């Protein structure tokens, strides 16, 4: 299973410099990385150096992230968020990222009636640069916090360059199931992020666990195999990998952690 899917590692798992993260991911066998704005900042914003490193290491970018609290931003912030989006799209184009990751708004000032309009604007701007928008329902997003809700708006907008991020953590932390994916065509899933947790978190602990204590898949209690089996049965062809925020792993040598991450990913995809 998944022998033809690009395997990626989100750099958030690794400590060290951006160069060390990229080298470790490549050496461990990952074909792609999810890159953060902070990764570029750590290289003093030197996009040329980043591009050279990616080319040398034969790594491509799953996506560039993350445009936070964009959709439905309240009026005092709306134009600033659009300017931020344009800057991120320009950077994504320069570094060769074909996808920009955009989580659903988590700010309680979010204006629900503006969400669709803002996403349509963003999709249009991205299409001018041949960039896709990967929209993600996060467990603590204000209005769009379930995959089913994210799919409704993606399906309504119906743009070729708008699709979904499927994040195991945000599904299973809410005690949802893979049934949330049953109406979604596989080509509209742009990437799949895997992680685990020691247990199903209580609502008040979800954000803390999400940002600091996720586990590599197979090391916790999430039913990751139900998601893997569903994707395999439906012939998912897109990128699949790891987004694991874990403070303890981040303190360890990045090469060792990247190798451990690849073993975990291979095991969960094959068993």
């Amino acid at each position: 299973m998944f022998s033809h899917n690009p395997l990626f590692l989100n750099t958030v798992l690794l400590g060290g410099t951006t160069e060390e993260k990229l080298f470790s991911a490549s050496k461990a066998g990952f074909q792609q990385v999810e890159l953060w704005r902070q990764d570029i900042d750590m290289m003093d914003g030197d996009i040329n150096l980043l591009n050279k490193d990616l080319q040398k290491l034969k790594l491509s970018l799953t996506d560039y992230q993350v445009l936070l609290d964009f959709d439905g931003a309240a009026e005092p912030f709306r134009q600033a968020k659009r300017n931020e989006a344009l800057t991120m799209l320009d950077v994504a184009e320069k570094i060769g990222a074909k996808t920009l990751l955009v989580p659903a708004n988590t700010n309680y000032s979010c204006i629900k009636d503006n969400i669709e309009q803002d996403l349509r604007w963003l999709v249009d701007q991205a299409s001018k640069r041949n960039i896709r928008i990967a929209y993600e329902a996060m467990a603590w997003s204000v209005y769009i916090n379930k995959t089913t809700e994210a799919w409704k708006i993606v399906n309504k907008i119906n743009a070729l360059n708008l699709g979904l991020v499927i994040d195991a953590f945000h599904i299973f932390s809410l005690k949802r199931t893979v049934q949330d994916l049953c109406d979604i065509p596989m080509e509209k899933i742009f990437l799949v992020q895997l992680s685990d947790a020691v247990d199903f978190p209580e609502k008040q602990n979800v954000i803390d666990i999400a940002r600091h204590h996720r586990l590599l898949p197979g090391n916790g209690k999430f039913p990751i195999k139900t998601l893997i089996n569903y994707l395999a049965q439906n012939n998912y062809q897109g990128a699949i990998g790891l987004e694991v925020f874990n403070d303890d792993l981040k303190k360890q040598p990045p090469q060792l952690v990247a190798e451990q991450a690849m073993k975990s990913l291979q095991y969960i995809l094959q068993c």
Side-chain angles (χ1 to χ4, degrees):
M1 295 190 296
F2 305 102
S3 59
H4 299 295
N5 298 70
L7 303 182
F8 68 82
L9 179 64
N10 190 306
T11 59
V12 75
L13 176 64
L14 305 178
T17 65
T18 301
E19 292 89 342
E20 289 171 329
K21 293 179 182 182
L22 296 178
F23 175 81
S24 298
S26 175
K27 190 169 177 59
F30 290 97
Q31 300 147 308
Q32 297 183 354
V33 291
E34 290 189 282
L35 197 75
W36 294 74
R37 286 192 277 184
Q38 295 92 320
D39 293 318
I40 297 178
D41 292 342
M42 286 175 65
M43 302 181 81
D44 296 323
D46 192 336
I47 291 175
N48 290 328
L49 179 59
L50 172 66
N51 288 337
K52 288 178 182 178
D53 282 354
L54 290 170
Q55 185 175 13
K56 178 175 65 177
L57 296 169
K58 297 181 180 179
L59 282 174
S60 60
L61 297 177
T62 313
D63 57 73
Y64 178 49
Q65 56 180 269
V66 59
L67 179 59
L68 289 171
D69 298 335
F70 171 81
D71 55 321
E75 286 303 330
F77 315 108
R78 198 179 193 191
Q79 189 56 53
K81 279 294 174 183
R82 290 196 172 193
N83 292 340
E84 180 184 349
L86 292 174
T87 298
M88 289 198 70
L89 286 169
D90 287 343
V91 172
E93 189 174 26
K94 290 176 182 176
I95 63 178
K98 298 298 184 183
T99 303
L100 178 68
L101 195 147
V102 184
N105 202 317
T106 65
N107 193 304
Y108 283 100
S109 68
C110 176
I111 300 174
K112 187 176 183 180
D113 290 344
N114 286 349
I115 290 175
E116 181 183 336
Q117 182 183 12
D118 288 344
L119 283 176
R120 287 185 183 276
W121 177 88
L122 182 62
V123 164
D124 181 62
Q125 296 300 317
S127 68
K128 296 174 182 177
R129 298 163 172 82
N130 196 29
I131 290 174
R132 306 187 305 175
I133 299 299
Y135 191 53
E136 178 178 13
M138 297 204 299
W140 57 91
S141 294
V142 178
Y143 294 112
I144 312 293
N145 52 36
K146 300 178 183 66
T147 302
T148 50
E149 295 164 346
W151 170 238
K152 284 180 183 177
I153 192 166
V154 167
N155 191 37
K156 184 177 181 181
I157 293 173
N158 191 28
L160 289 175
N161 66 324
L162 177 63
L164 293 171
V165 179
I166 300 301
D167 186 326
F169 184 88
H170 294 300
I171 293 174
F172 297 129
S173 66
L174 294 183
K175 299 180 182 177
R176 308 286 296 184
T177 72
V178 294
Q179 285 300 112
D180 284 359
L181 278 64
C182 66
D183 294 327
I184 305 172
M186 289 293 104
E187 65 270 16
K188 297 304 287 184
I189 298 176
F190 285 175
L191 62 135
V192 176
Q193 299 170 328
L194 303 177
S195 65
D196 213 331
V198 68
D199 208 340
F200 294 90
E202 298 297 326
K203 184 176 181 180
Q204 66 271 20
N205 298 327
V206 168
I207 294 178
D208 181 64
I209 293 173
R211 292 176 176 169
H212 302 284
H213 305 292
R214 298 194 202 190
L215 302 177
L216 294 170
N219 292 337
K221 291 190 176 180
F222 283 174
I224 302 295
K225 284 302 296 182
T226 63
L227 175 58
I228 297 301
N229 290 338
Y230 180 86
L231 294 169
Q233 290 164 7
N234 288 277
N235 197 31
Y236 172 67
Q237 296 292 307
I240 187 165
L242 304 176
E243 184 187 53
V244 181
F245 295 75
N246 185 292
D247 292 352
D248 293 332
L249 289 174
K250 201 175 183 76
K251 295 174 184 175
Q252 298 178 27
Q255 181 59 60
L256 295 179
V257 175
E259 291 172 356
Q260 183 181 349
M262 176 54 85
K263 289 178 182 178
S264 172
L265 180 59
Q266 290 176 328
Y267 174 77
I268 203 71
L269 293 181
Q270 294 175 4
C271 69

